[in-house]
Coordinates of all heavy atoms in Angstrom, one line a residue:
M1 N 57.0 15.6 -34.5 CA 57.4 14.3 -34.2 C 56.2 13.4 -33.8 O 55.3 13.9 -33.1 CB 58.4 14.3 -33.0 CG 58.9 12.9 -32.7 SD 60.2 13.0 -31.4 CE 59.5 14.1 -30.2
T2 N 56.2 12.2 -34.3 CA 55.1 11.3 -34.0 C 55.6 10.3 -33.0 O 56.6 9.7 -33.2 CB 54.6 10.6 -35.3 OG1 54.2 11.6 -36.2 CG2 53.4 9.7 -35.0
V3 N 54.8 10.1 -31.9 CA 55.1 9.1 -30.9 C 54.0 8.1 -30.9 O 52.8 8.5 -30.8 CB 55.3 9.8 -29.5 CG1 55.6 8.7 -28.4 CG2 56.5 10.8 -29.5
S4 N 54.3 6.9 -31.0 CA 53.2 5.9 -31.0 C 52.7 5.6 -29.6 O 53.5 5.6 -28.7 CB 53.8 4.6 -31.6 OG 54.6 3.9 -30.7
I5 N 51.4 5.6 -29.6 CA 50.7 5.3 -28.3 C 49.7 4.2 -28.5 O 48.9 4.3 -29.3 CB 50.0 6.6 -27.8 CG1 51.1 7.7 -27.5 CG2 49.2 6.3 -26.5 CD1 50.6 8.9 -27.0
R6 N 49.9 3.1 -27.7 CA 49.0 2.0 -27.9 C 48.7 1.3 -26.6 O 49.4 1.5 -25.6 CB 49.8 0.9 -28.8 CG 50.0 1.4 -30.3 CD 50.6 0.3 -31.1 NE 52.0 0.1 -30.7 CZ 52.7 -0.9 -31.1 NH1 52.2 -1.9 -31.9 NH2 54.0 -1.1 -30.8
Q7 N 47.6 0.6 -26.6 CA 47.3 -0.2 -25.4 C 47.9 -1.7 -25.7 O 47.9 -2.1 -26.9 CB 45.9 -0.2 -25.1 CG 45.0 -0.8 -26.2 CD 43.6 -0.3 -26.1 OE1 43.1 0.5 -26.8 NE2 42.8 -1.0 -25.2
F8 N 48.2 -2.4 -24.7 CA 48.9 -3.6 -24.8 C 48.3 -4.6 -23.8 O 47.8 -4.2 -22.7 CB 50.4 -3.5 -24.5 CG 51.2 -3.5 -25.7 CD1 51.3 -2.5 -26.6 CD2 51.9 -4.7 -26.1 CE1 52.1 -2.5 -27.7 CE2 52.7 -4.8 -27.2 CZ 52.8 -3.7 -28.0
D9 N 48.6 -5.9 -24.0 CA 48.2 -7.0 -23.1 C 46.8 -6.8 -22.6 O 46.5 -6.8 -21.5 CB 49.1 -7.0 -21.9 CG 50.5 -7.3 -22.3 OD1 50.7 -7.9 -23.4 OD2 51.5 -7.0 -21.5
D10 N 45.8 -6.7 -23.6 CA 44.4 -6.6 -23.3 C 44.1 -5.4 -22.4 O 43.2 -5.5 -21.6 CB 43.9 -7.9 -22.7 CG 43.9 -9.1 -23.6 OD1 43.7 -8.9 -24.8 OD2 44.1 -10.2 -23.2
G11 N 44.8 -4.3 -22.7 CA 44.5 -3.1 -21.9 C 45.2 -3.0 -20.6 O 44.9 -2.1 -19.8
A12 N 46.2 -3.9 -20.3 CA 46.9 -3.8 -19.0 C 47.9 -2.7 -19.0 O 48.3 -2.2 -17.9 CB 47.5 -5.1 -18.7
W13 N 48.3 -2.3 -20.2 CA 49.4 -1.3 -20.3 C 49.1 -0.3 -21.4 O 48.5 -0.6 -22.4 CB 50.8 -1.9 -20.6 CG 51.3 -2.8 -19.5 CD1 51.1 -4.1 -19.4 CD2 52.1 -2.4 -18.4 NE1 51.7 -4.6 -18.3 CE2 52.4 -3.6 -17.7 CE3 52.6 -1.2 -18.0 CZ2 53.1 -3.5 -16.5 CZ3 53.4 -1.2 -16.9 CH2 53.6 -2.3 -16.2
I14 N 49.6 1.0 -21.2 CA 49.7 1.9 -22.3 C 51.2 2.0 -22.6 O 52.1 2.2 -21.7 CB 49.3 3.3 -21.9 CG1 47.8 3.3 -21.6 CG2 49.5 4.3 -23.1 CD1 47.3 4.7 -21.1
H15 N 51.5 1.7 -23.8 CA 52.9 1.9 -24.3 C 53.0 3.2 -25.0 O 52.2 3.6 -25.8 CB 53.2 0.8 -25.3 CG 53.5 -0.5 -24.7 ND1 54.4 -1.4 -25.2 CD2 53.1 -1.1 -23.5 CE1 54.4 -2.5 -24.5 NE2 53.6 -2.3 -23.4
V16 N 54.0 4.0 -24.7 CA 54.4 5.2 -25.4 C 55.7 5.0 -26.0 O 56.7 4.7 -25.3 CB 54.4 6.4 -24.4 CG1 54.8 7.7 -25.2 CG2 53.0 6.6 -23.8
A17 N 55.8 5.3 -27.3 CA 57.1 5.1 -28.1 C 57.7 3.7 -27.8 O 58.9 3.5 -27.5 CB 58.1 6.2 -27.7
D18 N 56.8 2.7 -27.8 CA 57.1 1.3 -27.7 C 57.7 0.9 -26.4 O 58.4 -0.2 -26.3 CB 58.1 0.9 -28.8 CG 57.4 0.9 -30.2 OD1 56.2 0.7 -30.2 OD2 58.1 1.3 -31.2
S19 N 57.5 1.6 -25.3 CA 57.9 1.1 -24.0 C 56.7 1.4 -23.0 O 55.9 2.2 -23.2 CB 59.2 1.8 -23.5 OG 59.0 3.2 -23.4
R20 N 56.7 0.5 -22.0 CA 55.6 0.6 -21.0 C 55.6 1.9 -20.3 O 56.6 2.3 -19.8 CB 55.8 -0.5 -20.0 CG 55.4 -1.9 -20.5 CD 55.6 -2.9 -19.4 NE 55.1 -4.2 -19.9 CZ 55.1 -5.3 -19.2 NH1 55.5 -5.3 -17.9 NH2 54.7 -6.4 -19.7
A21 N 54.5 2.6 -20.3 CA 54.4 3.9 -19.7 C 53.5 3.9 -18.5 O 53.8 4.5 -17.5 CB 54.0 5.0 -20.7
V22 N 52.3 3.4 -18.7 CA 51.3 3.4 -17.6 C 50.7 2.0 -17.5 O 50.4 1.4 -18.5 CB 50.2 4.4 -17.8 CG1 49.3 4.5 -16.6 CG2 50.7 5.8 -18.2
G23 N 50.6 1.5 -16.3 CA 50.0 0.2 -16.1 C 48.7 0.2 -15.3 O 48.5 1.1 -14.5
A24 N 47.9 -0.8 -15.5 CA 46.7 -1.0 -14.7 C 47.1 -1.3 -13.3 O 48.2 -1.7 -13.0 CB 45.8 -2.1 -15.3
G25 N 46.2 -1.1 -12.3 CA 46.4 -1.3 -11.0 C 46.7 -0.1 -10.1 O 46.7 -0.2 -8.9
E26 N 46.8 1.1 -10.8 CA 47.0 2.3 -10.1 C 45.6 2.8 -9.7 O 44.6 2.5 -10.3 CB 47.6 3.4 -11.0 CG 49.0 3.1 -11.4 CD 49.6 4.2 -12.3 OE1 48.8 5.1 -12.7 OE2 50.8 4.3 -12.4
V27 N 45.6 3.6 -8.6 CA 44.4 4.3 -8.2 C 44.5 5.7 -8.6 O 45.4 6.4 -8.2 CB 44.1 4.2 -6.6 CG1 42.9 5.0 -6.2 CG2 43.9 2.7 -6.2
R28 N 43.4 6.2 -9.3 CA 43.4 7.6 -9.8 C 42.3 8.4 -9.0 O 41.2 7.9 -8.8 CB 43.1 7.6 -11.3 CG 44.2 7.1 -12.1 CD 45.3 8.1 -12.2 NE 46.5 7.4 -12.7 CZ 47.6 8.1 -13.0 NH1 47.6 9.4 -12.9 NH2 48.7 7.5 -13.5
R29 N 42.7 9.6 -8.5 CA 41.8 10.4 -7.8 C 41.1 11.3 -8.8 O 41.8 12.1 -9.5 CB 42.5 11.3 -6.8 CG 43.2 10.4 -5.8 CD 44.0 11.3 -4.9 NE 44.9 10.5 -4.1 CZ 45.4 10.8 -2.9 NH1 45.2 12.0 -2.4 NH2 46.2 10.0 -2.2
V30 N 39.8 11.3 -8.9 CA 39.1 12.0 -9.9 C 38.0 12.9 -9.4 O 37.3 12.5 -8.4 CB 38.5 11.1 -11.0 CG1 39.6 10.4 -11.8 CG2 37.5 10.1 -10.5
T31 N 37.8 14.0 -10.0 CA 36.7 14.9 -9.6 C 36.0 15.4 -10.8 O 36.5 15.2 -11.9 CB 37.3 16.1 -8.7 OG1 36.2 16.9 -8.3 CG2 38.2 17.0 -9.6
D32 N 34.8 16.1 -10.6 CA 34.0 16.5 -11.8 C 33.7 15.3 -12.7 O 33.8 15.4 -13.9 CB 34.7 17.6 -12.6 CG 34.7 18.9 -11.8 OD1 34.0 19.0 -10.8 OD2 35.5 19.8 -12.2
H33 N 33.3 14.2 -12.1 CA 33.0 13.0 -12.9 C 31.6 12.5 -12.6 O 31.0 12.9 -11.6 CB 34.0 12.0 -12.5 CG 33.9 11.5 -11.1 ND1 33.1 10.5 -10.7 CD2 34.4 12.1 -9.9 CE1 33.2 10.3 -9.4 NE2 33.9 11.3 -8.9
D34 N 31.1 11.7 -13.5 CA 29.8 11.1 -13.2 C 30.0 9.5 -13.1 O 29.0 8.8 -13.3 CB 28.8 11.4 -14.2 CG 29.2 11.2 -15.6 OD1 30.2 10.5 -15.8 OD2 28.6 11.7 -16.6
F35 N 31.2 9.1 -12.7 CA 31.5 7.7 -12.6 C 30.8 7.1 -11.4 O 30.2 6.0 -11.4 CB 33.0 7.5 -12.5 CG 33.4 6.1 -12.4 CD1 33.6 5.3 -13.5 CD2 33.8 5.6 -11.1 CE1 34.0 4.0 -13.4 CE2 34.2 4.3 -11.0 CZ 34.3 3.5 -12.2
C36 N 30.8 7.8 -10.3 CA 30.2 7.3 -9.0 C 29.8 8.5 -8.2 O 30.0 9.6 -8.5 CB 31.2 6.4 -8.3 SG 32.6 7.4 -7.6
P37 N 29.1 8.2 -7.0 CA 28.6 9.4 -6.3 C 29.7 10.2 -5.5 O 29.4 11.2 -5.0 CB 27.6 8.7 -5.3 CG 27.4 7.3 -5.7 CD 28.6 6.9 -6.5
C38 N 30.9 9.7 -5.4 CA 31.9 10.3 -4.6 C 32.3 11.7 -5.2 O 32.5 11.8 -6.4 CB 33.1 9.5 -4.4 SG 32.8 7.8 -3.8
T39 N 32.5 12.7 -4.3 CA 33.0 14.0 -4.8 C 34.4 13.8 -5.4 O 34.7 14.3 -6.5 CB 33.1 15.0 -3.6 OG1 31.8 15.1 -3.0 CG2 33.5 16.4 -4.1
V40 N 35.2 13.1 -4.7 CA 36.5 12.7 -5.2 C 36.5 11.1 -5.2 O 36.5 10.5 -4.2 CB 37.7 13.2 -4.4 CG1 39.0 12.6 -5.0 CG2 37.7 14.7 -4.4
G41 N 36.4 10.6 -6.5 CA 36.4 9.2 -6.6 C 37.8 8.6 -6.6 O 38.8 9.3 -7.0
H42 N 38.0 7.4 -6.0 CA 39.3 6.8 -6.0 C 39.2 5.5 -6.9 O 38.7 4.5 -6.4 CB 39.8 6.4 -4.6 CG 40.1 7.6 -3.8 ND1 39.1 8.4 -3.2 CD2 41.3 8.1 -3.5 CE1 39.8 9.4 -2.6 NE2 41.0 9.2 -2.7
V43 N 39.5 5.7 -8.2 CA 39.2 4.7 -9.2 C 40.4 3.7 -9.4 O 41.5 4.2 -9.9 CB 38.8 5.3 -10.5 CG1 38.5 4.2 -11.5 CG2 37.5 6.2 -10.3
L44 N 40.3 2.5 -9.1 CA 41.3 1.5 -9.4 C 41.2 1.2 -10.8 O 40.2 0.7 -11.3 CB 41.1 0.3 -8.5 CG 42.0 -0.9 -8.8 CD1 43.4 -0.6 -8.4 CD2 41.5 -2.2 -8.0
V45 N 42.3 1.4 -11.5 CA 42.3 1.1 -13.0 C 42.5 -0.4 -13.2 O 43.5 -1.0 -12.8 CB 43.5 1.9 -13.7 CG1 43.6 1.5 -15.1 CG2 43.4 3.4 -13.5
E46 N 41.5 -0.9 -13.9 CA 41.5 -2.4 -14.2 C 42.0 -2.6 -15.6 O 42.6 -3.7 -15.8 CB 40.1 -3.0 -13.9 CG 39.8 -3.0 -12.4 CD 38.3 -3.3 -12.2 OE1 37.5 -3.2 -13.0 OE2 38.0 -3.7 -11.0
A47 N 41.6 -1.8 -16.5 CA 42.1 -1.9 -17.9 C 41.9 -0.6 -18.6 O 41.0 0.1 -18.3 CB 41.3 -3.0 -18.6
F48 N 42.8 -0.4 -19.6 CA 42.6 0.7 -20.5 C 41.8 0.3 -21.7 O 42.1 -0.6 -22.4 CB 44.0 1.2 -21.0 CG 44.9 1.6 -19.8 CD1 45.9 0.8 -19.3 CD2 44.7 2.9 -19.3 CE1 46.6 1.2 -18.2 CE2 45.5 3.3 -18.2 CZ 46.4 2.5 -17.7
V49 N 40.6 1.0 -21.8 CA 39.7 0.6 -22.9 C 40.0 1.3 -24.2 O 39.9 0.7 -25.3 CB 38.3 1.1 -22.4 CG1 37.2 0.9 -23.5 CG2 37.9 0.3 -21.2
D50 N 40.5 2.5 -24.1 CA 40.8 3.3 -25.3 C 41.9 4.3 -24.9 O 42.0 4.8 -23.8 CB 39.5 4.1 -25.6 CG 39.4 4.4 -27.1 OD1 40.4 4.1 -27.9 OD2 38.4 4.9 -27.5
V51 N 42.8 4.5 -25.8 CA 43.9 5.5 -25.6 C 43.9 6.5 -26.7 O 43.5 6.2 -27.9 CB 45.3 4.8 -25.4 CG1 45.3 4.0 -24.2 CG2 45.7 4.1 -26.7
G52 N 44.4 7.7 -26.4 CA 44.4 8.7 -27.4 C 45.4 9.9 -27.0 O 45.9 9.9 -25.9
V53 N 45.5 10.8 -27.9 CA 46.4 11.9 -27.6 C 45.7 13.2 -27.9 O 44.9 13.3 -28.8 CB 47.6 11.9 -28.6 CG1 48.6 13.0 -28.3 CG2 48.3 10.5 -28.5
A54 N 45.8 14.2 -27.0 CA 45.3 15.5 -27.2 C 46.4 16.5 -27.0 O 46.9 16.7 -25.9 CB 44.1 15.8 -26.2
G55 N 46.9 17.1 -28.1 CA 48.1 17.9 -28.0 C 49.3 17.0 -27.5 O 49.6 16.0 -28.2
H56 N 49.9 17.3 -26.4 CA 51.0 16.5 -25.8 C 50.5 15.6 -24.8 O 51.2 14.8 -24.2 CB 52.1 17.4 -25.2 CG 52.8 18.2 -26.2 ND1 53.9 17.7 -26.9 CD2 52.7 19.5 -26.6 CE1 54.4 18.6 -27.7 NE2 53.7 19.7 -27.6
D57 N 49.2 15.6 -24.5 CA 48.6 14.8 -23.4 C 48.3 13.4 -23.9 O 47.7 13.2 -24.9 CB 47.4 15.4 -22.8 CG 47.6 16.7 -22.1 OD1 48.8 17.0 -21.7 OD2 46.7 17.5 -21.9
V58 N 48.7 12.4 -23.1 CA 48.3 11.0 -23.3 C 47.1 10.8 -22.5 O 47.1 10.9 -21.2 CB 49.4 10.1 -22.9 CG1 49.0 8.6 -23.1 CG2 50.7 10.3 -23.8
R59 N 46.0 10.4 -23.1 CA 44.7 10.3 -22.4 C 44.2 8.8 -22.6 O 44.5 8.2 -23.6 CB 43.7 11.3 -23.0 CG 44.0 12.7 -22.6 CD 43.4 13.7 -23.4 NE 41.9 13.7 -23.4 CZ 41.2 14.2 -22.4 NH1 41.8 14.8 -21.4 NH2 39.9 14.2 -22.4
A60 N 43.4 8.4 -21.7 CA 42.8 7.1 -21.8 C 41.4 7.0 -21.2 O 41.1 7.8 -20.2 CB 43.7 6.0 -21.2
R61 N 40.6 6.2 -21.7 CA 39.3 5.8 -20.9 C 39.7 4.4 -20.3 O 40.3 3.5 -20.9 CB 38.2 5.6 -21.9 CG 37.7 7.0 -22.5 CD 36.7 6.8 -23.6 NE 35.5 6.2 -23.1 CZ 34.9 5.1 -23.6 NH1 35.4 4.5 -24.7 NH2 33.8 4.6 -23.1
V62 N 39.3 4.3 -19.0 CA 39.6 3.1 -18.3 C 38.4 2.4 -17.7 O 37.4 3.1 -17.4 CB 40.6 3.4 -17.2 CG1 41.9 4.0 -17.7 CG2 40.0 4.2 -16.1
A63 N 38.5 1.1 -17.7 CA 37.5 0.3 -16.9 C 38.1 0.2 -15.5 O 39.3 -0.1 -15.3 CB 37.3 -1.0 -17.5
G64 N 37.3 0.5 -14.5 CA 37.8 0.5 -13.2 C 36.7 0.4 -12.1 O 35.5 0.3 -12.4
Q65 N 37.1 0.5 -10.9 CA 36.2 0.4 -9.8 C 36.6 1.5 -8.7 O 37.8 1.6 -8.4 CB 36.2 -1.0 -9.1 CG 35.2 -1.1 -8.0 CD 35.1 -2.5 -7.5 OE1 36.0 -3.3 -7.6 NE2 33.9 -2.9 -7.1
C66 N 35.6 2.2 -8.2 CA 35.9 3.1 -7.1 C 36.1 2.3 -5.8 O 35.2 1.6 -5.4 CB 34.8 4.1 -6.9 SG 35.0 5.3 -5.6
I67 N 37.2 2.5 -5.2 CA 37.6 1.7 -4.0 C 36.8 2.3 -2.8 O 36.9 1.7 -1.7 CB 39.1 1.6 -3.7 CG1 39.7 3.0 -3.6 CG2 39.8 0.9 -4.9 CD1 41.2 2.9 -3.2
D68 N 36.2 3.5 -2.9 CA 35.4 4.0 -1.8 C 34.0 3.5 -1.8 O 33.5 3.2 -0.7 CB 35.4 5.6 -1.9 CG 36.8 6.2 -1.6 OD1 37.6 5.5 -0.9 OD2 37.0 7.3 -2.0
C69 N 33.4 3.5 -2.9 CA 31.9 3.2 -2.9 C 31.6 1.9 -3.7 O 30.5 1.4 -3.6 CB 31.1 4.4 -3.5 SG 31.3 4.6 -5.3
G70 N 32.6 1.4 -4.4 CA 32.4 0.1 -5.1 C 31.8 0.1 -6.5 O 31.7 -0.9 -7.1
T71 N 31.5 1.4 -6.9 CA 31.0 1.5 -8.3 C 32.0 1.0 -9.3 O 33.2 1.3 -9.2 CB 30.6 3.0 -8.6 OG1 29.6 3.4 -7.7 CG2 30.1 3.1 -10.0
D72 N 31.6 0.2 -10.3 CA 32.5 -0.1 -11.3 C 31.9 0.3 -12.7 O 30.7 0.3 -12.8 CB 33.1 -1.5 -11.3 CG 32.1 -2.6 -11.5 OD1 31.0 -2.5 -10.8 OD2 32.3 -3.4 -12.3
G73 N 32.8 0.5 -13.6 CA 32.3 1.0 -14.9 C 33.5 1.5 -15.7 O 34.6 1.1 -15.5
V74 N 33.1 2.3 -16.7 CA 34.1 2.9 -17.6 C 34.2 4.4 -17.3 O 33.2 5.1 -17.4 CB 33.9 2.6 -19.1 CG1 34.9 3.3 -19.9 CG2 33.9 1.1 -19.3
L75 N 35.4 4.9 -17.0 CA 35.6 6.3 -16.7 C 35.8 7.0 -18.0 O 36.4 6.5 -18.9 CB 36.8 6.4 -15.8 CG 37.2 7.7 -15.2 CD1 36.1 8.2 -14.2 CD2 38.5 7.6 -14.5
D76 N 35.3 8.3 -18.0 CA 35.6 9.1 -19.2 C 37.0 9.5 -19.3 O 37.9 9.1 -18.5 CB 34.7 10.4 -19.1 CG 34.4 11.0 -20.4 OD1 34.9 10.5 -21.4 OD2 33.7 12.1 -20.4
W77 N 37.4 10.2 -20.4 CA 38.8 10.4 -20.7 C 39.5 11.1 -19.6 O 39.1 12.1 -19.0 CB 38.9 11.3 -22.0 CG 38.5 10.6 -23.2 CD1 37.3 10.7 -23.8 CD2 39.3 9.7 -24.0 NE1 37.3 9.9 -25.0 CE2 38.5 9.3 -25.1 CE3 40.6 9.3 -23.9 CZ2 38.9 8.4 -26.1 CZ3 41.0 8.4 -24.8 CH2 40.2 8.0 -25.9
L78 N 40.7 10.6 -19.3 CA 41.5 11.1 -18.2 C 43.0 11.2 -18.7 O 43.4 10.3 -19.5 CB 41.5 10.1 -17.0 CG 42.1 10.5 -15.7 CD1 41.4 11.7 -15.1 CD2 42.1 9.4 -14.7
T79 N 43.7 12.2 -18.3 CA 45.0 12.4 -18.8 C 46.0 11.6 -17.9 O 45.9 11.7 -16.6 CB 45.4 13.9 -18.7 OG1 44.6 14.6 -19.6 CG2 46.9 14.1 -19.2
F80 N 46.8 10.8 -18.5 CA 47.8 10.0 -17.7 C 49.2 10.5 -17.8 O 50.1 10.0 -17.0 CB 47.7 8.5 -18.2 CG 46.5 7.8 -17.6 CD1 45.2 8.0 -18.2 CD2 46.6 7.0 -16.5 CE1 44.1 7.4 -17.7 CE2 45.5 6.4 -16.0 CZ 44.2 6.6 -16.5
G81 N 49.5 11.4 -18.7 CA 50.8 12.0 -18.8 C 50.9 12.8 -20.0 O 50.0 13.1 -20.7
R82 N 52.2 13.3 -20.2 CA 52.5 14.2 -21.3 C 53.7 13.6 -22.0 O 54.6 13.0 -21.4 CB 52.9 15.6 -20.9 CG 51.7 16.4 -20.5 CD 52.3 17.8 -19.9 NE 53.0 18.6 -21.0 CZ 52.3 19.3 -21.8 NH1 51.1 19.4 -21.8 NH2 53.0 20.0 -22.7
V83 N 53.7 13.8 -23.3 CA 55.0 13.5 -24.1 C 55.7 14.8 -24.3 O 55.1 15.7 -24.9 CB 54.7 12.8 -25.4 CG1 55.9 12.6 -26.2 CG2 54.0 11.5 -25.1
D84 N 56.9 14.9 -23.7 CA 57.6 16.1 -23.7 C 59.0 15.8 -24.4 O 59.8 15.2 -23.7 CB 57.8 16.6 -22.3 CG 58.4 18.0 -22.2 OD1 58.8 18.5 -23.2 OD2 58.6 18.4 -21.0
G85 N 59.2 16.3 -25.6 CA 60.5 16.1 -26.3 C 60.7 14.6 -26.5 O 61.9 14.1 -26.4
G86 N 59.7 13.8 -26.6 CA 59.9 12.4 -26.9 C 59.9 11.6 -25.6 O 59.9 10.3 -25.6
T87 N 59.9 12.2 -24.4 CA 59.9 11.6 -23.1 C 58.5 11.6 -22.5 O 57.9 12.6 -22.5 CB 60.9 12.3 -22.2 OG1 62.2 12.3 -22.8 CG2 61.0 11.5 -20.8
F88 N 58.1 10.5 -22.0 CA 56.8 10.4 -21.3 C 56.9 10.8 -19.8 O 57.8 10.3 -19.1 CB 56.2 9.0 -21.4 CG 54.9 8.9 -20.7 CD1 53.8 9.4 -21.3 CD2 54.8 8.2 -19.5 CE1 52.5 9.3 -20.7 CE2 53.5 8.1 -18.9 CZ 52.4 8.7 -19.5
R89 N 56.1 11.8 -19.5 CA 56.1 12.3 -18.1 C 54.7 12.0 -17.5 O 53.7 12.6 -17.8 CB 56.4 13.8 -18.0 CG 57.7 14.1 -18.7 CD 58.1 15.6 -18.4 NE 59.2 15.9 -19.3 CZ 60.5 15.5 -19.0 NH1 60.8 14.8 -17.9 NH2 61.5 15.9 -19.8
P90 N 54.6 11.0 -16.6 CA 53.3 10.6 -16.0 C 52.8 11.6 -15.1 O 53.5 12.3 -14.4 CB 53.6 9.3 -15.3 CG 55.1 9.3 -15.0 CD 55.7 10.2 -16.1
V91 N 51.4 11.6 -15.0 CA 50.7 12.4 -14.0 C 50.8 11.6 -12.7 O 50.6 10.4 -12.7 CB 49.2 12.6 -14.4 CG1 48.5 13.3 -13.3 CG2 49.1 13.5 -15.7
S92 N 51.2 12.3 -11.6 CA 51.3 11.7 -10.3 C 49.9 11.1 -9.9 O 48.9 11.7 -10.1 CB 51.7 12.7 -9.3 OG 51.6 12.1 -8.0
T93 N 50.0 9.9 -9.3 CA 48.8 9.3 -8.7 C 48.3 10.1 -7.5 O 47.2 9.9 -7.0 CB 49.0 7.9 -8.4 OG1 50.1 7.8 -7.5 CG2 49.2 7.0 -9.6
D94 N 49.1 11.0 -7.0 CA 48.6 11.9 -5.9 C 47.7 13.0 -6.4 O 47.0 13.7 -5.6 CB 49.8 12.5 -5.2 CG 50.6 11.5 -4.4 OD1 50.0 10.5 -4.0 OD2 51.8 11.8 -4.2
A95 N 47.7 13.3 -7.7 CA 47.0 14.4 -8.2 C 45.5 14.1 -8.2 O 45.1 13.0 -8.4 CB 47.4 14.7 -9.6
V96 N 44.7 15.1 -7.9 CA 43.2 15.0 -8.1 C 42.9 15.6 -9.5 O 43.2 16.8 -9.7 CB 42.4 15.7 -7.0 CG1 40.9 15.7 -7.3 CG2 42.8 15.1 -5.6
Q97 N 42.4 14.8 -10.4 CA 42.2 15.2 -11.7 C 40.8 15.3 -12.2 O 39.9 14.6 -11.7 CB 42.9 14.1 -12.6 CG 44.4 13.9 -12.5 CD 44.9 12.9 -13.4 OE1 45.0 11.7 -13.1 NE2 45.1 13.2 -14.7
Q98 N 40.6 16.3 -13.0 CA 39.3 16.4 -13.6 C 39.1 15.5 -14.8 O 40.1 15.2 -15.5 CB 39.1 17.9 -14.1 CG 39.0 18.9 -13.0 CD 38.5 20.2 -13.5 OE1 38.7 20.6 -14.6 NE2 38.0 21.0 -12.6
V99 N 37.9 15.0 -14.9 CA 37.6 14.0 -16.0 C 36.9 14.7 -17.1 O 36.1 15.6 -16.9 CB 36.7 12.9 -15.4 CG1 36.2 11.9 -16.5 CG2 37.4 12.2 -14.3
G100 N 37.1 14.2 -18.3 CA 36.4 14.7 -19.5 C 37.2 15.6 -20.3 O 38.3 15.9 -20.1
Ligands
ZN201 ZN1 33.0 6.3 -5.5

């Protein structure tokens, strides 16, 4: 089954199967990253630069800013959810995620 995954509104949203799935404005906790000096960065998602799929995972590169140290830039690929039987299941913003 093919599920369409696109970015919308200049990167403000990821649409999965033509409905809004993930929006900018969330803070993602990331580790194993080179985005900023923080061991665990808290990156405010400002825009989705690129979206893609790896297996069932919906992944994106985002432009954002670490709310702890102020670094801004583009974060490497991060998983935002999974498509499971045609349903999008988001990764919790409480999760500490590895980047890349
Ligand atoms: Zn930081």
Side-chain angles (χ1 to χ4, degrees):
M1 181 173 51
T2 303
V3 175
S4 72
I5 297 180
R6 292 183 288 171
Q7 63 201 100
F8 254 78
D9 294 340
D10 292 329
W13 293 92
I14 297 174
H15 283 210
V16 178
D18 293 328
S19 58
R20 284 181 178 183
V22 187
E26 293 181 347
V27 174
R28 292 284 164 174
R29 302 175 190 201
V30 296
T31 187
D32 290 345
H33 64 94
D34 52 15
F35 180 81
C36 72
C38 303
T39 304
V40 177
H42 292 78
V43 179
L44 174 66
V45 176
E46 293 170 335
F48 298 98
V49 174
D50 208 354
V51 295
V53 183
H56 291 277
D57 291 342
V58 176
R59 291 160 61 77
R61 291 171 63 231
V62 301
Q65 183 169 31
C66 177
I67 59 174
D68 290 338
C69 70
T71 299
D72 66 310
V74 174
L75 187 65
D76 203 358
W77 291 99
L78 189 67
T79 300
F80 282 80
R82 283 175 66 82
V83 176
D84 185 2
T87 302
F88 180 71
R89 302 187 190 285
V91 173
S92 168
T93 53
D94 291 336
V96 176
Q97 294 181 267
Q98 291 190 338
V99 173

